[in-house]
Amino acid sequence: MAKDRLASVLERWEAVIGLEIHTELTALNTKMFCGCPVAFGGEPNTRVCPVCLGMPGALPVPNRAAIEATVLAGLATNCTIAEWSQFHRKNYFYPDMPKNYQISQYDLPFCADGFLDVEVEHDGAAQRPDRDAGYTTRIGITRIHLEEDTGKMIHVGGSEGRIAGATHSLVDFNRAGTGLMELVTEPDIRTPEEARRFAQKLRLIWLTLGVSDCNMEEGSMRVDANVSVRPRGETELGTKAEIKNMNSFKSLHDALAHEIVRQTEELDNGGRIVQETRHWDAGAKRTSSLRSKEEAHDYRYFPEPDMVPFEFSAEWIESVRATLPELPDEKRRRLIDAYGIPVHDATVLTGDDLDMAEFFEAAVTIGGAERAKAISNVMLNDLSMHLNAAGISVAESKVVPSMVAELVGLVEEGTISSKQAKEVFAEMAETGDAPGAIVELRGMKQVSDTGAIEEVVDRVIAANPAQVEQYRGGKTAVIGFFVGQVMREMGGQANPKVVNEVLARRLGG
Ligand code: ADP
Ligand code: ZN
Ligand code: MG
């Protein structure tokens, strides 16, 4: 679907989006209420015990590190931490849930009333019509609570992830009982791009805190999106659909874009939206109904009788706060203040993963703070393009910080031109060779020797009397023609700054 469809739909309709984000606490050594190890995959049903298998009489013991991680997550997202909190039982019957209830939280979550400020740069045509390109929007966080993850169902013979057509189902409880943090946002999000940026920023915060590996493909971070539409100007909320099964940020964006268009078309055609859960099919690029609200469960929540409630003292909460690392927003601010790079650069460097900012700071340490902007330029242009084209992360690239620092140095010292630097970059990204060695090997050195340049300049001036006339008659723009001629004669290796100086001197005379 073209982005323009979404853009034109958003002119008349406003989308309202709220996210529910589950994050497995994969950084913990053990599960939520037992001592079983936490890891991805493995031989099915090997990381289990009577507690996480829900054997009668087995008692849960809460994992202190999981509660600390959740409180830390709440503090990092401006939440209020509950002084009094407790777990509840959420009752439902499904084969992936061995106890027939899930230990979760209900009206007393550990964290509530937070927010995250999200920077939204561009989304082609599908911007909010009520905002300029490049804005910051505050997304409210309703709550963050802690629960235990379920097991995994494998439906044999069916199409992947769906029960339709399956002959039988297998269940693996290795994941059952893993600490799972659920964050719920207010319905404050207005575009697919805002949703994507929110989820990306949240992931970066979780990674900074070290609570999870946040791997969307492996399901350690799972984003469900609630979305409704309403005519612009309307303040009442429309009926929402909940979309599941997005396993990348791109899927989250695309699923929302499709669902918004689908809902508005439905309404434009005189139909109505039914409250339901919809499944995103990334291959077919569409959502389809999974189950309607009529089948909604009554979970009969009640306080977990096998665990006492929690009372957090203000001192304990402050002691957790003291362990907060530098968060992406703080890092962004510091890069701007310490290195004088533009807001845009700092936003990009701190916006997608932790490695870019680390790379930048390492390169600046080597190359010097005065080259910070030049280093950032190379990273935002050459490095980003190279990473995108190769489909790799900065950690997987052959380009390391010292190479970028050296490359920038070669340009600033006038050894190579910025045009040559592009070639050197391409070669070092390909080979992993140091830029100095590439320049040496390819004899790329830029000619800055004034004598050699003067010789060529004089020759070019003598050969083009008409243009000289024009220049001296006041058409100074014709200097570009001379620069081009000199450059061509010198195989593009002349230092353009010196060429310009010599030309101006000789022509002006
Ligand atoms: P439910 O009762 O279906 O669980 P909640 O009120 O708990 O719904 O909200 C779940 C999520 O859906 C939250 O992220 C919330 O912001 C979002 N949400 C609620 N109502 C709407 C709506 N009308 N349109 C879009 N999102 C909504
Ligand atoms: Zn266990
Ligand atoms: Mg709810």
Side-chain angles (χ1 to χ4, degrees), residues 395-442:
E396 293 163 324
S397 168
K398 286 182 181 161
V399 180
V400 295
S402 61
M403 285 155 68
V404 171
E406 189 183 339
L407 183 67
V408 165
L410 289 169
V411 176
E412 300 227 331
E413 290 152 9
T415 308
I416 55 172
S417 67
S418 35
K419 195 161 154 269
Q420 287 174 315
K422 300 243 169 241
E423 288 170 43
V424 175
F425 187 96
E427 189 159 336
M428 76 190 200
E430 171 104 26
T431 61
D433 292 339
I438 294 170
V439 166
E440 201 68 48
L441 205 75
R442 295 238 251 130

Side-chain angles (χ1 to χ4, degrees), residues 27 58 94 112 134 139 141 158 178 197 215-216 251 265 270 303 338 397 497:
Y94 202 67
I139 312 299
I141 292 169
T178 300
R197 294 305 310 171
N215 187 325
M216 288 180 82
S251 285
E265 281 176 352
S397 168
K497 202 164 146 259

Side-chain angles (χ1 to χ4, degrees), residues 343-362:
V343 175
H344 167 80
D345 292 35
T347 303
V348 175
L349 290 173
T350 58
D352 289 329
D353 60 38
L354 301 177
D355 296 340
M356 284 295 264
E358 208 174 285
F359 187 111
F360 170 75
E361 292 208 82

Side-chain angles (χ1 to χ4, degrees), residues 15-21 140 142-143 182-190 224-230 236-242 263 275 293:
V16 174
I17 300 163
L19 300 178
E20 293 170 286
I21 303 183
T142 316
R143 58 187 280 153
E182 177 174 346
L183 177 147
V184 181
T185 78
E186 290 292 298
D188 289 345
I189 299 167
R190 294 289 173 268
D224 298 335
N226 298 272
V227 55
S228 63
V229 296
R230 59 186 176 191
E236 297 282 309
L237 291 175
T239 304
K240 70 179 161 75
E242 182 179 0
Q263 289 188 12
Q275 188 163 338
K293 198 69 185 176

Side-chain angles (χ1 to χ4, degrees), residues 129-327:
D130 56 338
R131 297 285 182 104
D132 293 332
Y135 59 93
T136 299
T137 184
R138 178 162 293 189
I139 312 299
I141 292 169
T142 316
R143 58 187 280 153
I144 307 176
H145 73 246
L146 190 54
E147 58 190 32
E148 54 179 336
D149 208 348
T150 60
K152 251 185 209 165
M153 303 275 289
I154 299 139
H155 306 295
V156 180
S159 54
E160 203 193 330
R162 307 293 302 274
I163 300 177
T167 56
H168 59 286
S169 296
L170 301 171
V171 60
D172 172 9
F173 288 116
N174 281 350
R175 195 181 69 179
T178 300
L180 190 65
M181 224 166 44
E182 177 174 346
L183 177 147
V184 181
T185 78
E186 290 292 298
D188 289 345
I189 299 167
R190 294 289 173 268
T191 67
E193 183 61 10
E194 288 181 11
R196 166 160 59 191
R197 294 305 310 171
F198 178 90
Q200 277 178 327
K201 185 158 186 179
L202 194 73
R203 173 175 175 271
L204 213 51
I205 293 174
W206 290 175
L207 288 175
T208 306
L209 299 180
V211 296
S212 174
D213 59 16
C214 297
N215 187 325
M216 288 180 82
E217 275 171 21
E218 289 180 358
S220 55
M221 182 170 168
R222 312 195 278 272
V223 184
D224 298 335
N226 298 272
V227 55
S228 63
V229 296
R230 59 186 176 191
R232 289 217 163 264
E234 172 66 63
T235 52
E236 297 282 309
L237 291 175
T239 304
K240 70 179 161 75
E242 182 179 0
I243 320 172
K244 289 185 177 290
N245 194 44
M246 289 86 71
N247 59 8
S248 67
F249 293 115
K250 184 175 185 306
S251 285
L252 171 65
H253 178 281
D254 293 353
L256 280 167
H258 278 79
E259 180 62 15
I260 291 164
V261 170
R262 185 194 71 85
Q263 289 188 12
T264 57
E265 281 176 352
E266 192 73 43
L267 293 169
D268 276 336
N269 293 334
R272 65 182 191 98
I273 304 302
V274 286
Q275 188 163 338
E276 61 183 355
T277 303
R278 298 181 68 85
H279 184 270
W280 169 246
D281 184 336
K285 282 201 165 290
R286 60 185 215 101
T287 65
S288 55
S289 182
L290 203 60
R291 57 176 177 267
S292 73
K293 198 69 185 176
E294 286 80 72
E295 300 161 48
H297 301 279
D298 173 5
Y299 293 121
R300 298 178 297 121
Y301 280 97
F302 64 86
E304 167 58 62
D306 287 340
M307 262 181 286
V308 294
F310 298 86
E311 252 190 285
F312 299 148
S313 70
E315 296 83 68
W316 181 76
I317 294 169
E318 287 318 303
S319 75
V320 177
R321 194 193 301 277
T323 68
L324 275 174
E326 183 182 50
L327 296 168

